[in-house]
Structures are given as structure tokens and as C-alpha cells.
Amino acid sequence: MDNGQLPATHRSQQVFEDSPVFEMACRQLDAVGEVIDLDQGVLERLMKPKRSLVVSVPIRMDSGETRNFWGYRVQHSLTSGPAKGGLRYHPSVDLGEVAALAMWMSWKCGIMNLPFGGGKGGITVDCAQISLGEKERLTRRFTEEVLCIIGPRQDVMAPDLGTDEQTMAWIMDTYSMSVDYACPEIVTGKPVELGGCVGRREATGRGVVYCVMKALQEIKANASDATAVVQGFGNVGSVVCQELSTRGIKIVAVGDRYGAIANPRGIDLAALNKHMQARNLLKDFPGAEQIPSEELLTTPCTILVPAALERVITSANAGKLRCRVLAEAANGPTTPDADVILKGSDIFIIPDVLCNAGGVTVSYFEWVQDIQQYLWTEQQVNQKLEELMLRAFNQVRGFAQQRNLAMRTAALSIGVQKTAKEKMRRGLYP
Ligand code: GLU
């Protein structure tokens, strides 16, 4: 501490204005402000998250020592209903990233016309470095720390990177213990036995593929001749691969944080899934060649699907993309500088806030079912999801054509406008 700085273990990134991800979200909002007529005061309000909570989360490690982790929950908007959005466990989580992701959730819910505002949370932790027991204690203690701002009518969490159905089950249990009744509607993406919705786990990937099939029609490409490259093989990426290949599309390359593989004849997904289930690394799959990770996104293909982290398509690689459709399954994969480069290409972009909105849409179905205590069938869920995704796709495409806008600007405009209109209608209190 001689140089006046706290040691790294005590420091956290708690100023969202300094974050490149938050800056990116603000730049996108600024661009929307230039094309649609927005009240300046409302635009300024939309630039700032409504409420941000930073908590230190102490837990007892298996070794007996105590460790503190930083936890965050940001509610970007509470105008349209409860804040809604995932909880991310990843080493790169900081307040700025969570605030940007919360803002994007607002636009996503707006585009899909869901009665939610945007929310997001996270803990700065590498899940590969903690045990299951430590993860459970971390989740339960985090839930305790944010109890003052969450609730089925205030803020409803869901899985994101590093969290899953089990994480949601722990949150549901911790919250239910505190209110003294079983409250499934406090989270979505729960196990089905606890009130989770059938088809929720696959929903983001399925929604991506519904959009991709529409985009192929738009560019008049045949699915049977199409190839795909997918970055990320987690909950979203693996489902995208499966759903694309079911529709006759060849997966020619995939990658995850440990490496990437390619096979121009198409990767055998059943064999890859088996390989992964046996706890092997994706890059060691014998049915494909290893390629450098940085070559994955520039591999020639019809459909490129970034399904991992934000800001992977930048000004450095945007000009080298060799795809016809860019389906943004991840949140924020393309930087505004890359967008400028892509504008000059003929790549059809399905922007993140539309492309990956299937997850929160089925989360909405789950919340509605839990509140009504009335369960839908998987067929009802998938049918309704497809209907809402296609409606949103057509609306965004129509607005883009009518106003000669990029798909991203059109999508964001629709999402922003919905929240802005509601703010105007409700007025400013007092
Ligand atoms: N984490 C997901 C997302 O980024 C899902 C959010 C939700 O279901 O609430 O869209």
C-alpha cells in the first residue's frame, strides 16, 4: 500500500463510467438518440442505471480460510415491471460490465414487449477455481446480501455465464427461507421440479436459430448448403449447434475458452457431446483439427455465431469476417467500431438484443406460470417462443427497411422507444 493503492485483492472496479463495456452500451444508446425522437431528459435517465448495489460476499472456503468476493446487482430500469436478467459468475465481472448488460436487458425486454425492466448481476469469480460447496455458499450469501432489492415484483434473476439451474435453486431456497414460504417466482431458469419451465434451458439457442432461419430466407440462401461456425459451447452455443444441424446445416468449426477445432466436412455433434460429457477438452476432440482460437471467427462460413463473451468482434477482425449472417447469440459481441466496418459489408447482422432474446422470453413464460401456478407443455412453450421471436424479427426488419437503418439501430430503437414512452406516460415524480 506504499504507493497509496490498495492491494489488488482489495480493489474492485466500481465506477461504471470507466468501463469500456458500459461506454459501448452508452455509445449505442447515443446512436439511437440520433435516429428516433427522444426527449433529452428521458435519454439522460436511460443512460444511467436506476439502482446499483455492490456487495462484498464473504464465504468460508473448504480449506477453512475466509475469502471475500465482489458481488453486483444492477437494475437499469424499473419502469415497465420488475428488473429481469441473469447472474454471471466470471473473473471479468465488474460494475461497468454488469451495468451495460443490465441496460441491454432493458432493450431486449422492450423489443420482445415483456413487462420487465433490465437487470443484471454478477460475482467476480472463476468457477473453475472453486468447489461446488463453495459455489453454493457464495450463491446463498450473495442472495442474503441483495435481499433488500430483489423480489418477484422487484427483481427476478436467471442463469447467465457460470450459473445454471442449480444456482437458481439455491437462490430460490435462500429467498424462500427468508420469506417463509416457497417462492418459485423469485428466479427463472430453475430446475423443472421446482417450478422451472420446460424448454427454458434450450430457449436462448432455439431463439437464435429461429432468427437464423429467417435471415437465411432474407438473403435467399438454402439451409442445405449452409455452414456454421460457433464460438462458445456452453448452454447457448451447444444448443445452437444442435438445432442448426437438425435443420441440415453443417457445423464446420467451434471453439471455447480453451481452444478451437474445425472440420470442413462437418463436426459430428453426437461424438463431440460424448467427448465433452467424458470431461475432455473441446480442443482435444479427435474428429476435427485444432485451429488457433483467433482464426475461429474469420473461418469462412454462411452463419457465424459468437455465443460467448462481449467485444470479440472488433475493428481488428471485423474486416476479415467471411460469413453471410452474423447471429449474435452472446451479449455485446460486436464493438461500435467494428459495426462501422461491418456497415460497409453485405453481412446480415442479427443483433444480440433480438438474437438472444429467447432466453428472457421463456423466463417470462416461467414467471407467469409460477405466479399463476399453472404449467404449460413444452409444445406450448416452443410454439409461443417461435411466434414471439418471429414477430420481433419481422418488426425489427420492417423498421430497418422503412427507415433505411442497420438492424442493430432498428432493434435498439424499438427497445429504447418502448421504455422511453412508458417513462413519458408515467411522468416524473413528484
Ligand atoms: N442471462 C440471459 C440473458 O442475457 C437470460 C436473462 C433472463 O432470462 O432473465 O438474456
Side-chain angles (χ1 to χ4, degrees), residues 177-408:
M177 296 295 289
S178 89
V179 292
D180 223 8
Y181 62 90
C183 184
E185 62 269 32
I186 182 62
V187 282
T188 59
K190 299 174 289 292
V192 172
E193 314 85 88
L194 292 180
C197 179
V198 282
R200 170 62 188 85
R201 196 189 311 152
E202 299 82 7
T204 310
R206 279 198 185 126
V208 170
V209 174
Y210 296 146
C211 291
V212 166
M213 299 314 284
K214 276 296 287 177
L216 289 180
Q217 274 177 20
E218 292 283 339
I219 63 162
K220 300 193 176 27
N222 272 335
S224 51
D225 307 324
T227 56
V229 169
V230 181
Q231 183 192 47
F233 201 70
N235 179 37
V236 180
S238 64
V239 173
V240 169
C241 287
Q242 198 55 55
E243 294 281 325
L244 287 176
S245 88
T246 308
R247 288 163 175 82
I249 296 167
K250 235 192 299 180
I251 312 298
V252 289
V254 287
D256 65 7
R257 65 191 276 205
Y258 301 107
I261 53 172
N263 183 343
R265 291 181 307 281
I267 292 168
D268 178 347
L269 283 179
L272 178 59
N273 282 325
K274 221 164 149 193
H275 170 85
M276 299 295 283
Q277 272 153 21
R279 298 185 160 270
N280 294 303
L281 288 179
L282 177 134
K283 70 180 173 65
D284 298 329
F285 179 56
E289 294 273 311
Q290 275 190 34
I291 58 167
S293 288
E294 57 282 7
E295 278 175 24
L296 183 69
L297 296 174
T298 53
T299 303
C301 60
T302 320
I303 308 146
L304 176 63
V305 189
L309 281 174
E310 56 269 6
R311 300 169 73 240
V312 292
I313 300 174
T314 63
S315 53
N317 61 4
K320 298 187 203 147
L321 300 192
R322 294 290 169 265
C323 59
R324 298 193 60 203
V325 173
L326 172 59
E328 295 183 342
N331 290 307
T334 308
T335 65
D337 291 338
D339 254 337
V340 174
I341 297 168
L342 292 175
K343 225 180 225 168
S345 76
D346 59 0
I347 296 174
F348 188 102
I349 300 179
I350 313 169
D352 54 355
V353 283
L354 166 67
C355 193
N356 68 31
V360 71
T361 302
V362 177
S363 275
Y364 165 62
F365 299 162
E366 182 170 326
W367 183 69
V368 166
Q369 291 170 74
D370 288 338
I371 286 174
Q372 297 187 335
Q373 292 166 312
Y374 177 78
L375 300 183
W376 305 4
T377 64
E378 185 154 12
Q379 197 196 5
Q380 281 172 302
V381 170
N382 291 345
Q383 225 166 33
K384 198 84 194 139
L385 171 64
E386 184 165 15
E387 183 190 316
L388 295 193
M389 289 303 298
L390 295 184
R391 189 178 71 187
F393 185 100
N394 290 334
Q395 200 189 356
V396 171
R397 181 71 177 135
F399 191 59
Q401 282 174 327
Q402 184 196 335
R403 295 282 304 270
N404 195 23
L405 299 172
M407 283 287 278
R408 184 182 321 286

Side-chain angles (χ1 to χ4, degrees), residues 144-155:
E144 282 280 339
E145 299 292 347
V146 299
L147 265 188
C148 51
I149 61 162
I150 62 169
R153 297 277 173 187
Q154 283 121 310
D155 188 342

Side-chain angles (χ1 to χ4, degrees), residues 84-87 101 105 108 120 156-161 188 200 204 331 356-357 359-361 363-364:
K84 185 80 195 81
L87 177 66
L101 290 161
M105 284 307 303
K108 219 185 280 189
K120 203 78 175 197
V156 180
M157 291 190 263
D160 198 85
L161 278 180
T188 59
R200 170 62 188 85
T204 310
N331 290 307
N356 68 31
V360 71
T361 302
S363 275
Y364 165 62

